[in-house]
């Protein structure tokens, strides 16, 4: 059936307008509202707001805690990217190339943490790190390494590194499946040709597998970075609440503390603008660094 231009435009409007409205309400409006509130001294609940211009941003640059939160966020970014990508790639290659019969079962096992709430994961690992009843300290004492036991989440030195393990554990499954999908699309003939040329398994991985699944690797890295910079405050809030002595505060958890605990909503909005700016800059830099020419065989 032939459709007129008017009918096509109506159809496109019906498809696009609801999506745009949802995007405007849940993305654009909070974005511009946060930018607007960052210029005010406001508790978040008071009727009156006092316009103070760039004072919140001046306070931002003079706040001694802010540099630490940025360092903590990027520490989690680097450790999560390295830990998740190495383990996800290892398990993806193992489950696709080694022809393990129980591969479907392992897929479910590795993906299971991804369907769990971050709050549940945080509470679970809080018990695991418990200094008296936790699995880690109990295991260390059982194997004769009791002197290594410590209050993991109560130590200024070990609290932040302790957040890395649950974050990696929770993220391996999703990215493993993404990489497995990419590896499954690589033609077996490439590996056969590489083997005939004398390439061992390690050389086949570097010269065949990794270049051909690079799009999945790039997407995975960018996704990990974005979700860490914008969402790591959840597990921080559940497990340590930024303590001890602000040693685990990330930008998001510090925003939450300022806006919803200390009722300094304007300053919290300024921190949110900083998070957005750093996220965009980081993603743009990574897009450039991870750029590679498309490989065809």
């Amino acid at each position: 059936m032939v459709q007129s231009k008017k009918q096509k435009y109506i159809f496109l409007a019906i498809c696009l307008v609801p999506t745009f409205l949802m995007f405007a309400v849940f993305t654009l409006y909070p974005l511009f509202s946060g930018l607007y509130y960052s210029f005010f001294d406001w508790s978040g609940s008071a009727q009156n707001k006092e316009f103070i211009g760039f004072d919140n941003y001046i306070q931002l640059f003079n706040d001694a805690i802010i540099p630490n939160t940025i360092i903590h966020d990027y520490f989690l970014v680097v450790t999560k990217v390295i830990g998740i990508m190495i383990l996800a790639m290892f398990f993806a290659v193992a489950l696709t190339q080694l022809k393990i019969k129980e591969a479907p079962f392992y897929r479910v096992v590795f993906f299971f943490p991804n369907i769990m709430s971050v709050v549940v994961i945080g509470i679970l690992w809080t018990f695991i790190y418990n200094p008296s009843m936790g699995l880690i300290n109990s295991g260390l004492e059982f194997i004769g390494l009791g002197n290594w036991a410590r209050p993991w989440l109560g130590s200024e030195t070990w609290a932040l590194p302790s957040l890395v393990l649950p974050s990696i554990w929770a993220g391996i499954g999703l990215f493993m499946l993404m990489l497995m999908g990419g590896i499954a699309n690589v033609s077996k003939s490439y590996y056969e040709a590489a083997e005939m040329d004398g390439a061992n398994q390690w050389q086949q991985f570097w010269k065949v597998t990794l270049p051909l699944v690079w799009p999945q690797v790039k997407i995975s890295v960018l996704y990990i970075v974005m979700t860490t910079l914008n969402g790591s405050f959840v597990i921080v809030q559940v497990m340590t609440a930024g303590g001890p002595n602000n040693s685990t505060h990330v930008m998001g958890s510090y925003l939450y503390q300022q806006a919803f605990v200390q009722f300094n909503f304007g300053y919290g909005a300024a921190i949110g603008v900083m998070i957005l700016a750093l996220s965009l800059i980081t993603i743009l830099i990574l897009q450039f660094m991870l750029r590679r020419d498309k490989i065809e065989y």
Side-chain angles (χ1 to χ4, degrees), residues 123-154:
I123 294 173
L124 172 64
W125 279 86
T126 300
F127 282 106
I128 292 175
Y129 282 127
N130 187 284
S132 57
M133 300 180 296
L135 182 63
I136 292 181
N137 281 354
S138 300
L140 290 173
E141 292 176 359
F142 179 77
I143 61 176
L145 297 175
N147 58 321
W148 287 19
R150 63 200 68 224
W152 299 97
L153 299 179

PDB file of all heavy atoms in Angstrom, residues 123-154:
ATOM      1  N   ILE A 123      25.459  -5.712  50.460  1.00  0.00           N
ATOM      2  CA  ILE A 123      25.183  -6.319  51.770  1.00  0.00           C
ATOM      3  C   ILE A 123      25.866  -7.677  51.886  1.00  0.00           C
ATOM      4  O   ILE A 123      26.458  -8.009  52.932  1.00  0.00           O
ATOM      5  CB  ILE A 123      23.660  -6.461  51.977  1.00  0.00           C
ATOM      6  CG1 ILE A 123      23.013  -5.073  52.070  1.00  0.00           C
ATOM      7  CG2 ILE A 123      23.359  -7.272  53.239  1.00  0.00           C
ATOM      8  CD1 ILE A 123      21.503  -5.106  52.113  1.00  0.00           C
ATOM      9  N   LEU A 124      25.809  -8.465  50.796  1.00  0.00           N
ATOM     10  CA  LEU A 124      26.450  -9.787  50.795  1.00  0.00           C
ATOM     11  C   LEU A 124      27.946  -9.665  51.061  1.00  0.00           C
ATOM     12  O   LEU A 124      28.499 -10.373  51.916  1.00  0.00           O
ATOM     13  CB  LEU A 124      26.193 -10.473  49.452  1.00  0.00           C
ATOM     14  CG  LEU A 124      26.948 -11.787  49.201  1.00  0.00           C
ATOM     15  CD1 LEU A 124      26.501 -12.848  50.199  1.00  0.00           C
ATOM     16  CD2 LEU A 124      26.722 -12.262  47.766  1.00  0.00           C
ATOM     17  N   TRP A 125      28.599  -8.759  50.362  1.00  0.00           N
ATOM     18  CA  TRP A 125      30.041  -8.616  50.528  1.00  0.00           C
ATOM     19  C   TRP A 125      30.413  -7.928  51.834  1.00  0.00           C
ATOM     20  O   TRP A 125      31.527  -8.111  52.324  1.00  0.00           O
ATOM     21  CB  TRP A 125      30.629  -7.882  49.335  1.00  0.00           C
ATOM     22  CG  TRP A 125      30.830  -8.801  48.175  1.00  0.00           C
ATOM     23  CD1 TRP A 125      29.923  -9.139  47.213  1.00  0.00           C
ATOM     24  CD2 TRP A 125      32.011  -9.556  47.879  1.00  0.00           C
ATOM     25  NE1 TRP A 125      30.455 -10.035  46.332  1.00  0.00           N
ATOM     26  CE2 TRP A 125      31.735 -10.311  46.710  1.00  0.00           C
ATOM     27  CE3 TRP A 125      33.260  -9.654  48.465  1.00  0.00           C
ATOM     28  CZ2 TRP A 125      32.681 -11.151  46.144  1.00  0.00           C
ATOM     29  CZ3 TRP A 125      34.201 -10.489  47.900  1.00  0.00           C
ATOM     30  CH2 TRP A 125      33.918 -11.233  46.759  1.00  0.00           C
ATOM     31  N   THR A 126      29.505  -7.178  52.401  1.00  0.00           N
ATOM     32  CA  THR A 126      29.749  -6.628  53.736  1.00  0.00           C
ATOM     33  C   THR A 126      29.885  -7.744  54.754  1.00  0.00           C
ATOM     34  O   THR A 126      30.753  -7.709  55.639  1.00  0.00           O
ATOM     35  CB  THR A 126      28.615  -5.669  54.144  1.00  0.00           C
ATOM     36  OG1 THR A 126      28.546  -4.591  53.200  1.00  0.00           O
ATOM     37  CG2 THR A 126      28.866  -5.089  55.529  1.00  0.00           C
ATOM     38  N   PHE A 127      29.032  -8.772  54.623  1.00  0.00           N
ATOM     39  CA  PHE A 127      29.140  -9.937  55.508  1.00  0.00           C
ATOM     40  C   PHE A 127      30.415 -10.730  55.219  1.00  0.00           C
ATOM     41  O   PHE A 127      31.051 -11.251  56.134  1.00  0.00           O
ATOM     42  CB  PHE A 127      27.911 -10.837  55.352  1.00  0.00           C
ATOM     43  CG  PHE A 127      26.698 -10.329  56.064  1.00  0.00           C
ATOM     44  CD1 PHE A 127      25.636  -9.772  55.370  1.00  0.00           C
ATOM     45  CD2 PHE A 127      26.604 -10.398  57.458  1.00  0.00           C
ATOM     46  CE1 PHE A 127      24.520  -9.296  56.029  1.00  0.00           C
ATOM     47  CE2 PHE A 127      25.487  -9.936  58.128  1.00  0.00           C
ATOM     48  CZ  PHE A 127      24.441  -9.377  57.415  1.00  0.00           C
ATOM     49  N   ILE A 128      30.787 -10.820  53.929  1.00  0.00           N
ATOM     50  CA  ILE A 128      32.009 -11.550  53.576  1.00  0.00           C
ATOM     51  C   ILE A 128      33.231 -10.876  54.181  1.00  0.00           C
ATOM     52  O   ILE A 128      34.175 -11.540  54.634  1.00  0.00           O
ATOM     53  CB  ILE A 128      32.139 -11.652  52.042  1.00  0.00           C
ATOM     54  CG1 ILE A 128      31.045 -12.558  51.483  1.00  0.00           C
ATOM     55  CG2 ILE A 128      33.523 -12.177  51.645  1.00  0.00           C
ATOM     56  CD1 ILE A 128      31.018 -12.635  49.969  1.00  0.00           C
ATOM     57  N   TYR A 129      33.221  -9.550  54.237  1.00  0.00           N
ATOM     58  CA  TYR A 129      34.347  -8.792  54.790  1.00  0.00           C
ATOM     59  C   TYR A 129      34.258  -8.606  56.307  1.00  0.00           C
ATOM     60  O   TYR A 129      35.151  -7.977  56.890  1.00  0.00           O
ATOM     61  CB  TYR A 129      34.418  -7.413  54.132  1.00  0.00           C
ATOM     62  CG  TYR A 129      35.023  -7.392  52.756  1.00  0.00           C
ATOM     63  CD1 TYR A 129      34.346  -6.815  51.680  1.00  0.00           C
ATOM     64  CD2 TYR A 129      36.289  -7.922  52.519  1.00  0.00           C
ATOM     65  CE1 TYR A 129      34.907  -6.783  50.417  1.00  0.00           C
ATOM     66  CE2 TYR A 129      36.854  -7.892  51.258  1.00  0.00           C
ATOM     67  CZ  TYR A 129      36.156  -7.321  50.208  1.00  0.00           C
ATOM     68  OH  TYR A 129      36.727  -7.291  48.955  1.00  0.00           O
ATOM     69  N   ASN A 130      33.221  -9.122  56.928  1.00  0.00           N
ATOM     70  CA  ASN A 130      33.069  -8.954  58.369  1.00  0.00           C
ATOM     71  C   ASN A 130      34.332  -9.438  59.096  1.00  0.00           C
ATOM     72  O   ASN A 130      34.802 -10.552  58.859  1.00  0.00           O
ATOM     73  CB  ASN A 130      31.850  -9.735  58.869  1.00  0.00           C
ATOM     74  CG  ASN A 130      31.546  -9.469  60.325  1.00  0.00           C
ATOM     75  OD1 ASN A 130      32.209  -9.973  61.216  1.00  0.00           O
ATOM     76  ND2 ASN A 130      30.522  -8.674  60.564  1.00  0.00           N
ATOM     77  N   PRO A 131      34.925  -8.601  59.972  1.00  0.00           N
ATOM     78  CA  PRO A 131      36.216  -8.973  60.582  1.00  0.00           C
ATOM     79  C   PRO A 131      36.166 -10.180  61.498  1.00  0.00           C
ATOM     80  O   PRO A 131      37.179 -10.867  61.677  1.00  0.00           O
ATOM     81  CB  PRO A 131      36.611  -7.704  61.358  1.00  0.00           C
ATOM     82  CG  PRO A 131      35.337  -6.964  61.561  1.00  0.00           C
ATOM     83  CD  PRO A 131      34.477  -7.267  60.387  1.00  0.00           C
ATOM     84  N   SER A 132      35.003 -10.478  62.082  1.00  0.00           N
ATOM     85  CA  SER A 132      34.931 -11.595  63.028  1.00  0.00           C
ATOM     86  C   SER A 132      34.264 -12.831  62.438  1.00  0.00           C
ATOM     87  O   SER A 132      34.666 -13.956  62.738  1.00  0.00           O
ATOM     88  CB  SER A 132      34.177 -11.159  64.293  1.00  0.00           C
ATOM     89  OG  SER A 132      32.882 -10.674  63.972  1.00  0.00           O
ATOM     90  N   MET A 133      33.248 -12.649  61.609  1.00  0.00           N
ATOM     91  CA  MET A 133      32.514 -13.791  61.059  1.00  0.00           C
ATOM     92  C   MET A 133      32.634 -13.904  59.549  1.00  0.00           C
ATOM     93  O   MET A 133      32.061 -14.824  58.954  1.00  0.00           O
ATOM     94  CB  MET A 133      31.025 -13.690  61.437  1.00  0.00           C
ATOM     95  CG  MET A 133      30.747 -13.681  62.925  1.00  0.00           C
ATOM     96  SD  MET A 133      28.986 -13.549  63.279  1.00  0.00           S
ATOM     97  CE  MET A 133      28.617 -11.927  62.597  1.00  0.00           C
ATOM     98  N   GLY A 134      33.338 -12.998  58.922  1.00  0.00           N
ATOM     99  CA  GLY A 134      33.417 -12.982  57.473  1.00  0.00           C
ATOM    100  C   GLY A 134      34.179 -14.141  56.877  1.00  0.00           C
ATOM    101  O   GLY A 134      35.079 -14.714  57.512  1.00  0.00           O
ATOM    102  N   LEU A 135      33.846 -14.466  55.637  1.00  0.00           N
ATOM    103  CA  LEU A 135      34.468 -15.597  54.947  1.00  0.00           C
ATOM    104  C   LEU A 135      35.953 -15.371  54.705  1.00  0.00           C
ATOM    105  O   LEU A 135      36.751 -16.311  54.807  1.00  0.00           O
ATOM    106  CB  LEU A 135      33.739 -15.835  53.622  1.00  0.00           C
ATOM    107  CG  LEU A 135      34.220 -17.007  52.764  1.00  0.00           C
ATOM    108  CD1 LEU A 135      34.006 -18.325  53.498  1.00  0.00           C
ATOM    109  CD2 LEU A 135      33.488 -17.012  51.424  1.00  0.00           C
ATOM    110  N   ILE A 136      36.352 -14.153  54.413  1.00  0.00           N
ATOM    111  CA  ILE A 136      37.756 -13.891  54.073  1.00  0.00           C
ATOM    112  C   ILE A 136      38.665 -14.079  55.282  1.00  0.00           C
ATOM    113  O   ILE A 136      39.659 -14.818  55.222  1.00  0.00           O
ATOM    114  CB  ILE A 136      37.904 -12.464  53.499  1.00  0.00           C
ATOM    115  CG1 ILE A 136      37.205 -12.380  52.143  1.00  0.00           C
ATOM    116  CG2 ILE A 136      39.391 -12.096  53.364  1.00  0.00           C
ATOM    117  CD1 ILE A 136      37.312 -11.029  51.479  1.00  0.00           C
ATOM    118  N   ASN A 137      38.345 -13.427  56.386  1.00  0.00           N
ATOM    119  CA  ASN A 137      39.192 -13.575  57.573  1.00  0.00           C
ATOM    120  C   ASN A 137      39.148 -14.998  58.120  1.00  0.00           C
ATOM    121  O   ASN A 137      40.171 -15.526  58.575  1.00  0.00           O
ATOM    122  CB  ASN A 137      38.746 -12.592  58.661  1.00  0.00           C
ATOM    123  CG  ASN A 137      39.254 -11.180  58.405  1.00  0.00           C
ATOM    124  OD1 ASN A 137      40.031 -10.955  57.488  1.00  0.00           O
ATOM    125  ND2 ASN A 137      38.812 -10.235  59.210  1.00  0.00           N
ATOM    126  N   SER A 138      37.984 -15.637  58.072  1.00  0.00           N
ATOM    127  CA  SER A 138      37.875 -17.029  58.530  1.00  0.00           C
ATOM    128  C   SER A 138      38.725 -17.942  57.665  1.00  0.00           C
ATOM    129  O   SER A 138      39.392 -18.858  58.168  1.00  0.00           O
ATOM    130  CB  SER A 138      36.415 -17.486  58.505  1.00  0.00           C
ATOM    131  OG  SER A 138      35.616 -16.687  59.356  1.00  0.00           O
ATOM    132  N   GLY A 139      38.698 -17.682  56.338  1.00  0.00           N
ATOM    133  CA  GLY A 139      39.509 -18.493  55.430  1.00  0.00           C
ATOM    134  C   GLY A 139      40.996 -18.291  55.658  1.00  0.00           C
ATOM    135  O   GLY A 139      41.772 -19.247  55.615  1.00  0.00           O
ATOM    136  N   LEU A 140      41.400 -17.053  55.919  1.00  0.00           N
ATOM    137  CA  LEU A 140      42.817 -16.783  56.184  1.00  0.00           C
ATOM    138  C   LEU A 140      43.278 -17.474  57.469  1.00  0.00           C
ATOM    139  O   LEU A 140      44.377 -18.046  57.528  1.00  0.00           O
ATOM    140  CB  LEU A 140      43.041 -15.272  56.298  1.00  0.00           C
ATOM    141  CG  LEU A 140      42.914 -14.477  54.991  1.00  0.00           C
ATOM    142  CD1 LEU A 140      42.981 -12.981  55.263  1.00  0.00           C
ATOM    143  CD2 LEU A 140      44.007 -14.872  53.996  1.00  0.00           C
ATOM    144  N   GLU A 141      42.442 -17.440  58.475  1.00  0.00           N
ATOM    145  CA  GLU A 141      42.795 -18.123  59.731  1.00  0.00           C
ATOM    146  C   GLU A 141      42.832 -19.631  59.551  1.00  0.00           C
ATOM    147  O   GLU A 141      43.677 -20.318  60.132  1.00  0.00           O
ATOM    148  CB  GLU A 141      41.779 -17.743  60.810  1.00  0.00           C
ATOM    149  CG  GLU A 141      41.865 -16.270  61.230  1.00  0.00           C
ATOM    150  CD  GLU A 141      40.788 -15.898  62.222  1.00  0.00           C
ATOM    151  OE1 GLU A 141      39.968 -16.789  62.564  1.00  0.00           O
ATOM    152  OE2 GLU A 141      40.744 -14.725  62.649  1.00  0.00           O
ATOM    153  N   PHE A 142      41.955 -20.153  58.696  1.00  0.00           N
ATOM    154  CA  PHE A 142      41.885 -21.593  58.481  1.00  0.00           C
ATOM    155  C   PHE A 142      43.157 -22.114  57.812  1.00  0.00           C
ATOM    156  O   PHE A 142      43.625 -23.217  58.115  1.00  0.00           O
ATOM    157  CB  PHE A 142      40.667 -21.941  57.622  1.00  0.00           C
ATOM    158  CG  PHE A 142      40.520 -23.395  57.315  1.00  0.00           C
ATOM    159  CD1 PHE A 142      40.041 -24.281  58.282  1.00  0.00           C
ATOM    160  CD2 PHE A 142      40.874 -23.898  56.066  1.00  0.00           C
ATOM    161  CE1 PHE A 142      39.911 -25.633  57.993  1.00  0.00           C
ATOM    162  CE2 PHE A 142      40.743 -25.244  55.772  1.00  0.00           C
ATOM    163  CZ  PHE A 142      40.258 -26.117  56.750  1.00  0.00           C
ATOM    164  N   ILE A 143      43.732 -21.316  56.910  1.00  0.00           N
ATOM    165  CA  ILE A 143      44.931 -21.772  56.201  1.00  0.00           C
ATOM    166  C   ILE A 143      46.209 -21.276  56.881  1.00  0.00           C
ATOM    167  O   ILE A 143      47.298 -21.377  56.307  1.00  0.00           O
ATOM    168  CB  ILE A 143      44.909 -21.312  54.730  1.00  0.00           C
ATOM    169  CG1 ILE A 143      44.888 -19.775  54.626  1.00  0.00           C
ATOM    170  CG2 ILE A 143      43.728 -21.917  53.997  1.00  0.00           C
ATOM    171  CD1 ILE A 143      44.959 -19.269  53.187  1.00  0.00           C
ATOM    172  N   GLY A 144      46.084 -20.758  58.070  1.00  0.00           N
ATOM    173  CA  GLY A 144      47.247 -20.360  58.832  1.00  0.00           C
ATOM    174  C   GLY A 144      47.781 -18.970  58.532  1.00  0.00           C
ATOM    175  O   GLY A 144      48.929 -18.656  58.870  1.00  0.00           O
ATOM    176  N   LEU A 145      46.982 -18.151  57.918  1.00  0.00           N
ATOM    177  CA  LEU A 145      47.398 -16.783  57.607  1.00  0.00           C
ATOM    178  C   LEU A 145      46.569 -15.777  58.390  1.00  0.00           C
ATOM    179  O   LEU A 145      46.184 -14.723  57.876  1.00  0.00           O
ATOM    180  CB  LEU A 145      47.271 -16.514  56.096  1.00  0.00           C
ATOM    181  CG  LEU A 145      48.152 -17.366  55.174  1.00  0.00           C
ATOM    182  CD1 LEU A 145      47.840 -17.078  53.712  1.00  0.00           C
ATOM    183  CD2 LEU A 145      49.630 -17.112  55.466  1.00  0.00           C
ATOM    184  N   GLY A 146      46.316 -16.107  59.648  1.00  0.00           N
ATOM    185  CA  GLY A 146      45.488 -15.244  60.488  1.00  0.00           C
ATOM    186  C   GLY A 146      46.072 -13.860  60.692  1.00  0.00           C
ATOM    187  O   GLY A 146      45.334 -12.905  60.960  1.00  0.00           O
ATOM    188  N   ASN A 147      47.392 -13.734  60.553  1.00  0.00           N
ATOM    189  CA  ASN A 147      48.004 -12.408  60.717  1.00  0.00           C
ATOM    190  C   ASN A 147      47.665 -11.466  59.553  1.00  0.00           C
ATOM    191  O   ASN A 147      47.870 -10.260  59.647  1.00  0.00           O
ATOM    192  CB  ASN A 147      49.523 -12.537  60.846  1.00  0.00           C
ATOM    193  CG  ASN A 147      50.161 -13.227  59.666  1.00  0.00           C
ATOM    194  OD1 ASN A 147      49.602 -14.188  59.129  1.00  0.00           O
ATOM    195  ND2 ASN A 147      51.330 -12.785  59.253  1.00  0.00           N
ATOM    196  N   TRP A 148      47.132 -12.030  58.463  1.00  0.00           N
ATOM    197  CA  TRP A 148      46.697 -11.204  57.345  1.00  0.00           C
ATOM    198  C   TRP A 148      45.272 -10.682  57.530  1.00  0.00           C
ATOM    199  O   TRP A 148      44.838  -9.800  56.792  1.00  0.00           O
ATOM    200  CB  TRP A 148      46.765 -12.008  56.048  1.00  0.00           C
ATOM    201  CG  TRP A 148      48.157 -12.234  55.554  1.00  0.00           C
ATOM    202  CD1 TRP A 148      49.323 -12.145  56.271  1.00  0.00           C
ATOM    203  CD2 TRP A 148      48.542 -12.596  54.227  1.00  0.00           C
ATOM    204  NE1 TRP A 148      50.403 -12.442  55.504  1.00  0.00           N
ATOM    205  CE2 TRP A 148      49.966 -12.721  54.224  1.00  0.00           C
ATOM    206  CE3 TRP A 148      47.857 -12.835  53.060  1.00  0.00           C
ATOM    207  CZ2 TRP A 148      50.679 -13.075  53.086  1.00  0.00           C
ATOM    208  CZ3 TRP A 148      48.568 -13.182  51.925  1.00  0.00           C
ATOM    209  CH2 TRP A 148      49.953 -13.301  51.935  1.00  0.00           C
ATOM    210  N   ALA A 149      44.566 -11.264  58.489  1.00  0.00           N
ATOM    211  CA  ALA A 149      43.179 -10.837  58.728  1.00  0.00           C
ATOM    212  C   ALA A 149      43.166  -9.407  59.248  1.00  0.00           C
ATOM    213  O   ALA A 149      44.047  -9.001  60.011  1.00  0.00           O
ATOM    214  CB  ALA A 149      42.510 -11.775  59.730  1.00  0.00           C
ATOM    215  N   ARG A 150      42.158  -8.660  58.837  1.00  0.00           N
ATOM    216  CA  ARG A 150      42.063  -7.263  59.238  1.00  0.00           C
ATOM    217  C   ARG A 150      40.620  -6.778  59.052  1.00  0.00           C
ATOM    218  O   ARG A 150      39.831  -7.432  58.358  1.00  0.00           O
ATOM    219  CB  ARG A 150      43.018  -6.405  58.418  1.00  0.00           C
ATOM    220  CG  ARG A 150      42.729  -6.388  56.937  1.00  0.00           C
ATOM    221  CD  ARG A 150      43.949  -5.950  56.161  1.00  0.00           C
ATOM    222  NE  ARG A 150      45.015  -6.947  56.226  1.00  0.00           N
ATOM    223  CZ  ARG A 150      46.296  -6.640  56.427  1.00  0.00           C
ATOM    224  NH1 ARG A 150      46.658  -5.377  56.612  1.00  0.00           N
ATOM    225  NH2 ARG A 150      47.211  -7.591  56.467  1.00  0.00           N
ATOM    226  N   PRO A 151      40.251  -5.666  59.637  1.00  0.00           N
ATOM    227  CA  PRO A 151      38.913  -5.097  59.399  1.00  0.00           C
ATOM    228  C   PRO A 151      38.889  -4.403  58.039  1.00  0.00           C
ATOM    229  O   PRO A 151      39.121  -3.190  57.931  1.00  0.00           O
ATOM    230  CB  PRO A 151      38.754  -4.105  60.555  1.00  0.00           C
ATOM    231  CG  PRO A 151      40.137  -3.711  60.926  1.00  0.00           C
ATOM    232  CD  PRO A 151      41.000  -4.911  60.658  1.00  0.00           C
ATOM    233  N   TRP A 152      38.619  -5.145  56.996  1.00  0.00           N
ATOM    234  CA  TRP A 152      38.801  -4.671  55.637  1.00  0.00           C
ATOM    235  C   TRP A 152      38.074  -3.357  55.361  1.00  0.00           C
ATOM    236  O   TRP A 152      38.667  -2.415  54.817  1.00  0.00           O
ATOM    237  CB  TRP A 152      38.342  -5.747  54.648  1.00  0.00           C
ATOM    238  CG  TRP A 152      39.134  -7.013  54.772  1.00  0.00           C
ATOM    239  CD1 TRP A 152      38.779  -8.122  55.487  1.00  0.00           C
ATOM    240  CD2 TRP A 152      40.419  -7.298  54.202  1.00  0.00           C
ATOM    241  NE1 TRP A 152      39.759  -9.081  55.395  1.00  0.00           N
ATOM    242  CE2 TRP A 152      40.775  -8.608  54.603  1.00  0.00           C
ATOM    243  CE3 TRP A 152      41.280  -6.586  53.387  1.00  0.00           C
ATOM    244  CZ2 TRP A 152      41.961  -9.205  54.215  1.00  0.00           C
ATOM    245  CZ3 TRP A 152      42.473  -7.176  52.988  1.00  0.00           C
ATOM    246  CH2 TRP A 152      42.803  -8.471  53.411  1.00  0.00           C
ATOM    247  N   LEU A 153      36.808  -3.293  55.713  1.00  0.00           N
ATOM    248  CA  LEU A 153      36.027  -2.093  55.419  1.00  0.00           C
ATOM    249  C   LEU A 153      36.202  -1.011  56.472  1.00  0.00           C
ATOM    250  O   LEU A 153      35.718   0.106  56.292  1.00  0.00           O
ATOM    251  CB  LEU A 153      34.540  -2.453  55.297  1.00  0.00           C
ATOM    252  CG  LEU A 153      34.187  -3.452  54.187  1.00  0.00           C
ATOM    253  CD1 LEU A 153      32.696  -3.736  54.193  1.00  0.00           C
ATOM    254  CD2 LEU A 153      34.625  -2.920  52.822  1.00  0.00           C
ATOM    255  N   GLY A 154      36.894  -1.321  57.548  1.00  0.00           N
ATOM    256  CA  GLY A 154      37.127  -0.338  58.600  1.00  0.00           C
ATOM    257  C   GLY A 154      38.525   0.242  58.562  1.00  0.00           C
ATOM    258  O   GLY A 154      38.889   1.043  59.418  1.00  0.00           O
TER     259      GLY A 154
END
